[in-house]
Amino acid sequence: MFGVAFRRHRGSLLAAGVGCIIAADLILALAGNVWLVGAGAALWGLHMGATQGLLSALVADAAPADLRGTAFGVFNLVTGVALLAASVIAGWLWTVFGPAATFHASAALATAALVGLLARPRT
């Protein structure tokens, strides 16, 4: 769905994917029934579909051909460390403040990332 509309505009596709995760987090923070949980999960899936392959393509585009393997290794290392840290923080927020706080914090961080993405100079 997103790929056709944003084929040449990777920044737009990334922004749309981040928008999906913001919406998913907000819906999940407020979810009071199974339908809202399903809607949040669907938006989360759209985010994953819009961003996962795109991030790999961006790494491949940014790295010189002879260093692509190293670039992917570093990308995956940094991603893994960030996911570990995010999971620990999310678990702490969930335990101390509850599920809604965890999703609100995630939405706030994703919003900050989206603002940074949109504020960057175009190349």
Side-chain angles (χ1 to χ4, degrees):
M1 177 171 112
F2 288 124
V4 174
F6 299 107
R7 184 168 291 146
R8 294 190 186 158
H9 304 286
R10 289 181 172 174
S12 298
L13 180 56
L14 186 57
V18 174
C20 285
I21 196 64
I22 293 167
D25 284 332
L26 294 174
I27 289 170
L28 290 168
L30 303 172
N33 61 55
V34 70
W35 298 107
L36 287 176
V37 172
L43 283 168
W44 199 304
L46 281 175
H47 153 74
M48 296 297 288
T51 60
Q52 294 306 296
L54 176 61
L55 292 173
S56 293
L58 291 171
V59 170
D61 288 348
D66 61 327
L67 293 176
R68 279 202 189 116
T70 301
F72 278 108
V74 170
F75 172 73
N76 284 304
L77 172 66
V78 171
T79 300
V81 170
L83 283 170
L84 177 61
S87 296
V88 169
I89 293 167
W92 177 80
L93 285 169
W94 191 292
T95 300
V96 175
F97 299 106
T102 306
F103 289 114
H104 281 120
S106 178
L109 290 169
T111 299
L114 181 60
V115 167
L117 176 67
L118 296 175
R120 82 190 193 316
R122 302 286 186 242
T123 56

